[in-house]
Amino acid sequence: MSFGTILIANRGEIACRVIRTARALGYRTVAVFSDADADALHVRQADAAVHIGASPAAESYLNAVAIVEAARRSGADAIHPGYGFLSENASFAQACLDAGLVFIGPPPEAMRAMGDKAQAKRRMHDAGVPCAPGYLGDAQDEATLRAEALKLGFPLLVKAVAGGGGRGMRLVRAEAELDEALAGARREARSAFRDDALMLERLIEHGRHIEIQVFADAQGHVIHLGERDCSAQRRRQKVIEESPSPVVSPALREAMGRDAVAAARAVGYVGAGTVEFIVDQSGRHFFLEMNTRLQVEHPVTECVTGLDLVEWQLRIAAGEPLPLTQEQVAMRGHAIEVRLYAEDPYQGFAPQTGTVLHWRPEAALQPGLRIDHGITEGSVVSPFYDAMVAKLIAHGRDRDDAIRRVRAALAATPLLGLRNNARFLRDLLDHPVFRRGETTTAWLDEARARGDALYAAPEPSEEDWCLAAAAFALREGAPWRPDSVAAYGLTLACGERSEALRVRAGEAGRVQVTLTGTTHTLRLLDAGPESLRYEWQGVQLLRTARWQADALHLAHEGHAFVFSEPSPLPRSADARDPRRALAPVAGVVAKLAVKEGDAVAAGHPLACIEAMKMEMWVTAAAAGRVLRVAVGEGAQVAAQSLLVELEIV
């Protein structure tokens, strides 16, 4: 099972992560890329790279034939699948083996056993691993699923049998929501996994999502490396992960570890895997699923154990035994990982696309801090793939130490150019519920429904407005103003807000700014291409700031405020015109709910846009009649593209 060249059948940060360890161990690496990723960081870092298709994942990263052919052309003799895409596809694993390639993952038989979530739960029952009540039957007609759902009662989860990563999953709290949940889960499962089979699972409310990292070798040894707490989730997608869990006792850790090892043994597992459990409020744990791959959140386990899990994967794939016994595994300190998503948490976590203007992770690197990412300045974040662009991981002496370090890192590594969740993450880490370790899988969604302050979009402070005004006033190449004008009006806009300011520029960078009737004095000490150094109320400060054309991107505690001088001309079109239903983001038209001539009420669903693993429904802003449907199902659309035109009645 020896190999010398590893093809990474993935993209982004996980491809870069695998390349890093493979290179350290002396392996040659090969990247694969789609049209959208032609200049991506993982392509630049690998020793060789092969183009495998168009931008949509189905035509590139999900194209098993193209990936195996890329291995043949590049001389690779092993394939690492990363996570997502084909990483849990047993047929792909078998195709690699049939082509004479080493698949750095579990045997196809184990993947099949755990890949079918319903079959996996049956096996767990047989192995004595506790499972939540549910429907795991082969009958997939709507009548059967509806009847079984009513037997289970609500709330419940509709889950794709072939699912993972939160895809093909719907929460149903009442019978009235069931039909749409079944249809939506089928649609998403078919798109993501090409398999629309569903299962039902009784929801354990206010539970904790705790997972156990397991490793097994080909010699029959299986151990676990402790737990990760992944309870901080929005819409069933993980946001923050940590190890150890603040709620897991030594006794519970031992019991869950024992069940996770039993789960791996039950399917003849080899390699890295994660057994996911839900823990109820009384401390009972129930099997959810097994992910037959490396997890996004594996770095927190690496931090507390001091182990390189990718190195373990490569050594086990080469036929080596596990390097440690269960008794030799030790956990030290506390680690927290946050996922940096290109999304707007203050607008329903809407995915964001665009070009990275500023990203300097090396500026924040300190002992105990790690940043895994796959982007560079100039990278284009497209709608074709997952919204996660980076992970920031902090390891500390204890939980408070780790929280403090990762909050500081989020402030020190602003991502400018497109909206993201960095400030949201900082605020979440400091929220009393998270600080007390009381986060459940439902808490973030419930907090949003309650209108928790966590979801209030940051607003520029007086200091932000004054600093922006000074930067505009003293910018090299700014519009010429005659010396006779001692002070002048300056209107700036930031988001939906605009301010009429009065500016007076003096000597040595001093600028007086009058804002809402109060005059402030700010001294701009240095205006570099990436930062502004200034003095405010007697204190010298440094802020990351970048110009993009005539707009100033100004970072503050992880958030980016974008200031510009609004045009005096009226807008040519109003994006909020109720007659025009527009795509909220770039993506694919997953479903059309109307046709020409249909009468619709305000709030009636018109079209569903899928982007970055998320479905977003566009609804009618007012009652009317459909004049025109401008797109077809399956069409790729740009942000703000016309979807449906209405006649308002």
Side-chain angles (χ1 to χ4, degrees), residues 486-529:
Y488 54 87
L490 175 65
T491 299
L492 291 181
C494 182
E496 297 296 316
R497 180 180 166 189
S498 64
E499 292 286 351
L501 307 105
R502 192 78 177 164
V503 179
R504 182 191 299 269
E507 296 180 352
R510 287 184 174 83
V511 181
Q512 286 186 341
V513 181
T514 302
L515 170 66
T516 60
T518 302
T519 299
H520 306 269
T521 299
L522 180 145
R523 185 182 176 198
L524 194 58
L525 302 173
D526 181 48

Side-chain angles (χ1 to χ4, degrees), residues 121 132-136 145 149 152-160 166 168-173 178 181-182 185 198-205 209 233 235-236 278 288 441:
K121 288 209 168 184
Y135 171 70
L136 312 173
L145 290 172
L152 280 172
F154 302 97
L156 60 79
L157 292 173
V158 177
K159 302 174 75 172
M169 185 185 300
R170 295 292 187 277
L171 169 62
V172 184
R173 292 201 169 273
L178 183 59
L182 292 171
L198 302 176
M199 58 182 278
L200 306 174
E201 183 179 279
R202 187 77 166 89
L203 178 68
I204 296 175
E205 293 201 272
H209 183 129
Q233 303 178 6
R235 295 177 176 175
R236 303 287 158 184
I278 190 77
L288 288 177
T441 56

Side-chain angles (χ1 to χ4, degrees), residues 94-165:
Q94 188 63 57
C96 293
L97 298 178
D98 291 345
L101 301 166
V102 174
F103 181 75
I104 303 172
E109 297 78 14
M111 297 176 74
R112 289 190 184 94
M114 286 300 190
D116 184 318
K117 306 305 180 187
Q119 179 62 30
K121 288 209 168 184
R122 296 188 194 106
R123 283 177 175 261
M124 294 306 102
H125 279 298
D126 294 341
V129 179
C131 297
Y135 171 70
L136 312 173
D138 295 327
Q140 289 289 306
D141 58 279
E142 301 300 313
T144 298
L145 290 172
R146 169 172 275 280
E148 293 295 335
L150 295 177
K151 286 181 189 176
L152 280 172
F154 302 97
L156 60 79
L157 292 173
V158 177
K159 302 174 75 172
V161 166

Side-chain angles (χ1 to χ4, degrees), residues 8-10 14 18 80-84 87 293-294 313:
I8 299 99
N10 219 293
I14 185 57
V18 174
H80 192 300
Y83 50 69
S87 63
R293 54 173 167 80
L294 199 66
Q313 283 188 298

